[in-house]
Amino acid sequence: NPVLNGIEVFKVDTSNPVLTLAAVANQTNDFFDTVSIAANAAGGDPNETISYYMAGQPEGVVIDPLTGEISGSIVSNANAMNVGPNGEGIHSVTVTVLKPGSSPSSTAFTWTVTGDGLFWTGRRQILFDGRQGKCQDPRCIRLYGQYLDLVG
């Protein structure tokens, strides 16, 4: 049986253009990827400001509430992979825009995080979270518990 947790009432001014949010394409990224995606909305009262919200995204990724820019670096941790129906790293993400006097608009997309937490360089593989292997090369450093290859 469905459960009603709350109700929101919006006063909509039908003389304004409808507030719309363009679809965001499905995304696939690896750990440590830096992302920059634009969420684009239009319409509503031209004298009011659009506010952007996002839920369900991989850890390390945020949305700018004023511009809709989705950005950040995907964090390598157990939470990034242990989502989705089978723990396969699939995130169900929803972006919503609000503007006073308009009905909210939302779009949903799938964000798949792939990878095993390994970072490949030209010579060797380094596990950044320290679970395996230490870099024996003097050109590597350990920073905040992570091994970094200074040569690449």
Side-chain angles (χ1 to χ4, degrees):
N1 293 334
V3 176
L4 181 62
N5 290 325
I7 190 166
E8 291 186 65
V9 178
F10 297 93
K11 180 179 179 187
V12 177
D13 182 350
T14 57
S15 66
N16 289 321
V18 174
L19 179 62
T20 59
L21 176 61
V24 176
N26 291 337
Q27 304 292 313
T28 299
N29 292 98
D30 201 347
F31 294 122
F32 311 114
D33 281 356
T34 299
V35 298
S36 180
I37 305 162
N40 297 304
D45 185 342
N47 298 314
E48 296 289 348
T49 302
I50 295 174
S51 297
Y52 294 83
Y53 300 90
M54 184 170 58
Q57 72 274 18
E59 189 172 341
V61 179
V62 297
I63 191 166
D64 185 306
L66 299 177
T67 66
E69 180 72 17
I70 299 169
S71 62
S73 293
I74 297 175
V75 174
S76 172
N77 64 24
N79 293 335
M81 290 300 292
N82 292 331
V83 295
N86 299 309
E88 67 280 81
I90 298 175
H91 299 255
S92 297
V93 181
T94 302
V95 176
T96 301
V97 291
L98 300 174
K99 196 172 196 183
S102 300
S103 293
S105 183
S106 295
T107 188
F109 64 98
T110 300
W111 203 325
T112 304
V113 176
T114 61
D116 52 12
L118 298 173
F119 180 81
W120 289 90
T121 69
R123 295 182 314 280
R124 64 189 161 274
Q125 129 190 109
I126 299 171
L127 187 59
F128 271 73
D129 66 4
R131 287 179 291 174
Q132 163 189 342
K134 294 184 179 178
C135 179
Q136 301 300 321
D137 190 306
R139 294 171 290 185
C140 294
I141 63 170
R142 188 168 184 192
L143 181 64
Y144 300 110
Q146 299 178 352
Y147 290 97
L148 307 176
D149 185 350
L150 299 179
V151 181

